Amino acid sequence: MTRDLSTRILHADRAAGIEHGATHKPLHVATGYGYERTADLVSVFQGEKSGYVYGRQGNPTTAALEAKVTLMEEAVGTVSFATGMAAIVSTMMALLKAGDHVVASRFLFGNTASWFNTLQQMGCEATLVDATDAKNVEQALRPNTRMVFTETIANPRTQVADLEGIGKLCTPRGIVYIVDNTLTTPHLFRPKAVGASLVIHSLSKGICGHGNALGGSVSDTGLFDWDKYPNLLPVYRKGPPTAWGLLQIRKKGLRDLGGTLSAEHGHRIATGAETLTLRMDRTCANALAVAQCLEKQPLVSKVHYPGLASHAQHERAGKLFGGFGGLLSFETVDGCDPNDVLDALQLVIKSSHLGDNRTLALPAARTIFWEMGQEMRQSMDIAESLIRVSLGIEATADLVADFEQAFAKLTKK
Ligand SMILES: *Cc1c(COP(=O)(O)O)cnc(C)c1O
């Protein structure tokens, strides 16, 4: 019997066996691991036996979190990292070589967009396209394209990528298809269903939920044929090919680059994950209620939320996802300054970050998308007045009331 995701998350640690009958995996803080027999230490080093050698490559606490993410994504394995950015950068560094080409959505989390500049400086080519239509991705493909990267619902403008169409392009061509599932979380969407090879998470966001830990992960869905991937080193082509990609990511991306998730943060993320399904349902309901409230405000010119019928990919989101997500953004009319709107809010916190239990908002163009400049913002469809709101789990009525009182104050002025 396949139990519900919420049930399986709660019992994942116990299913793997926990010391002393503890109900969840304890914190393992040792840096090193000792063996009675030298031969065992050697076997672990050589990958013949599983075990731990040094904390930079993981420990039992982070391994338990990795198993939980693997379960959530119905994947074959997961490697955790110190942050979502560490997961993205380390995965690409581990799998790409100078001269390779990557196609990515041009609607991306700002730091991911910034990373694509760095990748180009390091001798890889990257083409950023409007990934809401797979035709644009197809036109950008070249003989040396190794990877396609997209988010599910783009942060902050909420464009929904043509996830199915892109999967159909990548699979027959042997291109690694990477989906950043941070905004949807495994409760709303599993990228494996559209043919993704690797699934990235910023665990700092919805999966942790409490805004008290940073982490990232990459999971292998088991769909990619690593035997055909030219950049895998012979030393990692051992055992079943489904494990080769993650092995190289763990060795080159985690061990050599060193962006390791700490046991403390891994433990907090694992605890947060226990309530993922409950929290996501509430944030989705809150986002829809606030989006509908914003649509009625004369000072708001546009509301971007996939759950609204006015959203360009509303139908696609409804078909692909089990909910429309906890993030929305909106634009104000000329003469209404986004800072004034935010300052009029009493409950909502003016803060970066998203996927927190508390509702957070910020003027996107002036903060997280400031450094890239207006031209780049325009290409990403980010209006200068855009306000991003990440919904928390507060009572819906309290949130709607906060936005209503804020706009009432501003209209009176
Ligand atoms: C926040 C975020 C990241 C980066 O994650 P960190 O844990 O902050 O490094 C990557 N992708 C998306 C979609 C994000 O929202």
Side-chain angles (χ1 to χ4, degrees):
M1 189 180 92
T2 310
R3 296 196 167 100
D4 187 76
L5 178 66
S6 55
T7 311
R8 288 184 289 139
I9 294 172
L10 285 167
H11 293 275
D13 289 358
R14 277 180 58 241
I18 313 176
E19 25 308 33
H20 313 297
T23 48
H24 55 76
K25 194 77 182 170
L27 268 175
H28 281 268
V29 294
T31 310
Y33 294 81
Y35 290 84
E36 287 303 315
R37 294 175 56 236
T38 312
D40 289 336
L41 176 69
V42 171
S43 304
V44 174
F45 256 94
Q46 295 185 359
E48 270 146 33
K49 261 193 182 166
S50 65
Y52 300 94
V53 290
Y54 186 61
R56 194 184 335 103
Q57 289 187 67
N59 67 50
T61 306
T62 54
L65 174 65
E66 288 169 356
K68 211 167 275 186
V69 177
T70 299
L71 175 157
M72 292 196 245
E73 288 295 353
E74 289 175 357
V76 296
T78 298
V79 179
S80 59
F81 291 89
T83 62
M85 284 317 300
I88 291 169
V89 171
S90 304
T91 296
M92 292 198 198
M93 296 277 274
L95 295 180
L96 293 171
K97 275 203 230 169
D100 286 345
H101 176 243
V102 180
V103 178
S105 164
R106 66 180 161 84
F107 310 125
L108 288 172
F109 174 66
N111 301 149
T112 308
S114 168
W115 154 249
F116 277 109
N117 289 335
T118 314
L119 188 66
Q120 282 169 288
Q121 283 166 4
M122 291 176 15
C124 289
E125 299 172 293
T127 311
L128 302 192
V129 300
D130 176 348
T132 60
D133 188 342
K135 273 202 211 89
N136 300 324
V137 174
E138 185 169 20
Q139 276 165 12
L141 296 178
R142 299 179 194 169
N144 60 336
T145 305
R146 296 270 169 266
M147 216 175 249
V148 173
F149 181 97
T150 186
E151 294 172 13
T152 52
I153 301 175
N155 166 11
R157 260 282 278 103
T158 74
Q159 298 96 334
V160 179
D162 187 354
L163 294 156
E164 268 185 309
I166 298 170
K168 283 182 191 142
L169 291 176
C170 293
T171 308
R173 291 173 173 85
I175 295 170
V176 178
Y177 180 21
I178 306 186
V179 176
D180 181 333
N181 197 24
T182 300
L183 263 75
T184 19
T185 82
H187 179 46
L188 303 185
F189 181 59
R190 290 208 189 89
K192 187 178 181 177
V194 293
S197 327
L198 298 173
V199 182
I200 297 265
H201 278 289
S202 165
L203 300 172
S204 325
K205 310 287 173 56
I207 290 186
C208 175
H210 294 65
N212 60 356
L214 294 166
S217 65
V218 56
S219 303
D220 189 323
T221 59
L223 298 179
F224 190 75
D225 185 3
W226 292 105
D227 197 15
K228 298 215 177 78
Y229 195 68
N231 296 353
L232 288 195
L233 298 166
V235 66
Y236 303 131
R237 292 173 176 268
K238 271 191 209 155
T242 45
W244 295 356
L246 273 196
L247 183 59
Q248 182 152 318
I249 291 170
R250 188 177 291 280
K251 297 294 184 181
K252 295 276 123 187
L254 184 67
R255 183 197 64 191
D256 295 3
L257 296 177
T260 311
L261 176 66
S262 73
E264 280 88 349
H265 281 213
H267 187 262
R268 278 183 221 164
I269 292 163
T271 310
E274 293 185 355
T275 52
L276 172 69
T277 60
L278 302 174
R279 290 185 286 101
M280 277 310 287
D281 287 344
R282 175 65 82 92
T283 59
C284 290
N286 281 349
L288 183 62
V290 170
Q292 286 167 341
C293 157
L294 289 169
E295 268 191 324
K296 288 183 218 132
Q297 302 304 329
L299 293 177
V300 172
S301 56
K302 276 186 197 157
V303 185
H304 309 290
Y305 181 61
L308 295 176
S310 58
H311 190 281
Q313 292 92 34
H314 173 64
E315 242 177 78
R316 175 184 292 164
K319 188 175 148 226
L320 288 175
F321 309 145
F324 295 103
L327 190 107
L328 65 83
S329 53
F330 65 97
E331 298 167 29
T332 55
V333 297
D334 283 349
C336 175
D337 193 287
N339 285 16
D340 293 340
V341 175
L342 289 163
D343 285 338
L345 291 163
Q346 293 171 347
L347 184 62
V348 175
I349 307 172
K350 275 77 81 179
S351 170
S352 69
H353 188 40
L354 58 91
D356 193 292
N357 283 339
R358 285 146 283 259
T359 297
L360 315 171
L362 86 182
R366 291 170 182 173
T367 54
I368 45 176
F369 290 90
W370 178 249
E371 188 186 286
M372 61 178 57
Q374 189 167 1
E375 206 178 308
M376 180 80 174
R377 282 194 292 277
Q378 260 166 8
S379 81
M380 295 172 87
D381 246 343
I382 296 170
E384 294 303 294
S385 74
L386 193 79
I387 292 177
R388 183 185 79 180
V389 186
S390 165
L391 280 299
I393 58 170
E394 296 93 341
T396 310
D398 289 333
L399 284 174
V400 171
D402 197 29
F403 280 92
E404 277 174 349
Q405 68 78 28
F407 281 107
K409 253 191 303 202
L410 292 169
T411 321
K412 246 188 256 153
K413 257 194 198 168

